[in-house]
Amino acid sequence: MDRGVPVTLLEQHKDFDRDFRGDTIHPSIMEILDQIGLAEPLHQLRHAKIYGPTLQIANTTFKPIDLRRLKTRFPYIFLVPQARFLEFLAADASKYPDFRLVMGANVEHDRRRWASPRSALSGP
Protein backbone atom coordinates (compact mmCIF):
# COMPACT_ATOMS: atom_id res chain seq x y z
CA MET A 1 0.00 0.00 0.00
CA ASP A 2 1.39 3.39 -1.02
CA ARG A 3 1.21 5.92 1.81
CA GLY A 4 1.86 9.63 1.70
CA VAL A 5 3.83 11.66 4.17
CA PRO A 6 1.63 13.27 6.82
CA VAL A 7 1.78 17.06 6.52
CA THR A 8 0.29 19.58 8.92
CA LEU A 9 0.36 23.21 7.82
CA LEU A 10 -0.09 25.74 10.61
CA GLU A 11 -1.51 29.17 9.76
CA GLN A 12 -1.65 31.68 12.58
CA HIS A 13 -4.57 33.65 11.12
CA LYS A 14 -8.12 32.55 10.42
CA ASP A 15 -7.76 33.32 6.68
CA PHE A 16 -5.05 34.00 4.09
CA ASP A 17 -5.85 37.70 3.57
CA ARG A 18 -2.76 39.85 4.21
CA ASP A 19 -1.91 43.23 2.76
CA PHE A 20 1.81 42.51 2.75
CA ARG A 21 1.78 39.50 0.44
CA GLY A 22 2.57 39.76 -3.26
CA ASP A 23 0.22 38.91 -6.06
CA THR A 24 2.65 37.69 -8.74
CA ILE A 25 3.45 34.19 -9.92
CA HIS A 26 6.47 34.09 -12.20
CA PRO A 27 7.02 31.82 -15.23
CA SER A 28 9.33 29.40 -13.37
CA ILE A 29 6.68 28.83 -10.70
CA MET A 30 4.02 28.37 -13.37
CA GLU A 31 6.23 25.65 -14.89
CA ILE A 32 6.37 23.84 -11.54
CA LEU A 33 2.63 24.18 -11.09
CA ASP A 34 2.19 22.73 -14.57
CA GLN A 35 4.37 19.73 -13.68
CA ILE A 36 2.06 18.90 -10.78
CA GLY A 37 -1.12 19.51 -12.77
CA LEU A 38 -2.14 22.83 -11.21
CA ALA A 39 -1.37 25.41 -13.91
CA GLU A 40 -4.51 24.79 -15.95
CA PRO A 41 -6.89 24.85 -12.95
CA LEU A 42 -5.12 27.97 -11.65
CA HIS A 43 -6.02 29.76 -14.88
CA GLN A 44 -9.69 29.27 -13.97
CA LEU A 45 -9.24 31.86 -11.19
CA ARG A 46 -9.77 35.50 -12.07
CA HIS A 47 -6.32 36.78 -13.04
CA ALA A 48 -4.28 39.09 -15.24
CA LYS A 49 -1.06 38.60 -17.18
CA ILE A 50 1.90 40.92 -17.57
CA TYR A 51 4.28 40.30 -20.46
CA GLY A 52 6.74 42.97 -19.35
CA PRO A 53 6.89 46.56 -18.16
CA THR A 54 6.30 49.54 -20.40
CA LEU A 55 8.46 52.51 -19.47
CA GLN A 56 7.81 56.09 -20.46
CA ILE A 57 10.70 58.51 -20.72
CA ALA A 58 9.90 61.99 -21.94
CA ASN A 59 7.48 61.42 -24.83
CA THR A 60 8.69 57.92 -25.66
CA THR A 61 7.55 54.55 -24.36
CA PHE A 62 9.51 51.34 -24.66
CA LYS A 63 9.48 47.80 -23.34
CA PRO A 64 12.90 46.84 -21.98
CA ILE A 65 11.76 43.29 -21.20
CA ASP A 66 9.37 41.14 -23.20
CA LEU A 67 8.65 37.86 -21.41
CA ARG A 68 7.09 36.48 -24.60
CA ARG A 69 10.67 35.78 -25.73
CA LEU A 70 11.06 33.15 -22.98
CA LYS A 71 10.93 29.51 -24.04
CA THR A 72 8.09 28.51 -21.76
CA ARG A 73 4.40 27.77 -21.95
CA PHE A 74 3.94 30.66 -19.52
CA PRO A 75 5.76 33.72 -20.92
CA TYR A 76 4.15 36.13 -18.50
CA ILE A 77 3.79 37.09 -14.88
CA PHE A 78 0.50 35.71 -13.61
CA LEU A 79 -1.34 38.14 -11.32
CA VAL A 80 -3.81 36.76 -8.81
CA PRO A 81 -4.50 37.91 -5.24
CA GLN A 82 -2.18 35.98 -2.94
CA ALA A 83 -5.08 35.00 -0.68
CA ARG A 84 -6.92 33.37 -3.62
CA PHE A 85 -3.74 31.55 -4.68
CA LEU A 86 -3.15 30.18 -1.17
CA GLU A 87 -6.82 29.13 -0.90
CA PHE A 88 -6.43 27.38 -4.27
CA LEU A 89 -3.32 25.50 -3.08
CA ALA A 90 -4.94 24.57 0.25
CA ALA A 91 -8.06 23.29 -1.51
CA ASP A 92 -5.97 21.10 -3.79
CA ALA A 93 -3.83 19.83 -0.91
CA SER A 94 -6.97 18.96 1.06
CA LYS A 95 -7.67 16.22 -1.51
CA TYR A 96 -4.81 14.25 0.03
CA PRO A 97 -5.74 12.25 3.14
CA ASP A 98 -2.40 12.97 4.86
CA PHE A 99 -2.71 16.76 4.55
CA ARG A 100 -4.09 18.85 7.36
CA LEU A 101 -4.43 22.65 7.49
CA VAL A 102 -4.85 24.25 10.91
CA MET A 103 -6.10 27.83 10.62
CA GLY A 104 -5.78 30.10 13.65
CA ALA A 105 -2.91 28.02 15.03
CA ASN A 106 -1.06 29.44 18.01
CA VAL A 107 2.34 27.83 17.69
CA GLU A 108 3.76 29.39 20.85
CA HIS A 109 0.78 28.19 22.87
CA ASP A 110 0.78 24.78 21.23
CA ARG A 111 4.55 24.29 20.91
CA ARG A 112 4.60 21.26 23.19
CA ARG A 113 1.81 19.69 21.18
CA TRP A 114 3.68 20.32 17.91
CA ALA A 115 7.10 19.34 19.35
CA SER A 116 7.25 15.94 17.67
CA PRO A 117 5.96 14.65 14.35
CA ARG A 118 3.72 12.17 16.14
CA SER A 119 2.08 14.80 18.34
CA ALA A 120 1.74 17.27 15.44
CA LEU A 121 -0.62 14.82 13.77
CA SER A 122 -3.02 14.79 16.70
CA GLY A 123 -3.18 18.63 16.81
CA PRO A 124 -5.97 20.67 18.39
Side-chain angles (χ1 to χ4, degrees):
M1 177 178 205
D2 190 16
R3 292 197 50 164
V5 175
V7 172
T8 299
L9 176 61
L10 305 176
E11 168 59 46
Q12 178 181 8
H13 299 90
K14 302 264 186 225
D15 59 38
F16 289 119
D17 270 330
R18 307 288 173 281
D19 289 334
F20 62 86
R21 290 190 171 146
D23 296 331
T24 61
I25 302 172
H26 294 258
S28 58
I29 301 302
M30 291 300 298
E31 289 286 343
I32 293 168
L33 291 170
D34 191 44
Q35 291 172 13
I36 60 174
L38 295 180
E40 188 174 322
L42 180 62
H43 280 80
Q44 301 306 311
L45 298 180
R46 184 175 174 162
H47 66 278
K49 297 175 184 174
I50 297 176
Y51 295 93
T54 300
L55 302 178
Q56 182 170 354
I57 298 176
N59 293 330
T60 305
T61 62
F62 72 100
K63 296 182 181 211
I65 299 168
D66 186 353
L67 296 174
R68 289 174 283 214
R69 294 173 44 194
L70 294 176
K71 294 180 179 167
T72 175
R73 287 188 53 213
F74 311 99
Y76 45 81
I77 296 172
F78 189 89
L79 296 173
V80 62
Q82 184 82 20
R84 301 302 79 77
F85 179 57
L86 294 175
E87 290 164 357
F88 168 81
L89 292 177
D92 187 74
S94 70
K95 297 174 189 172
Y96 296 92
D98 291 323
F99 176 77
R100 188 163 151 228
L101 172 61
V102 179
M103 301 299 287
N106 183 335
V107 177
E108 184 62 31
H109 178 264
D110 294 336
R111 68 187 156 97
R112 284 187 213 120
R113 183 179 302 170
W114 306 110
S116 72
R118 180 174 302 283
S119 63
L121 297 177
S122 58

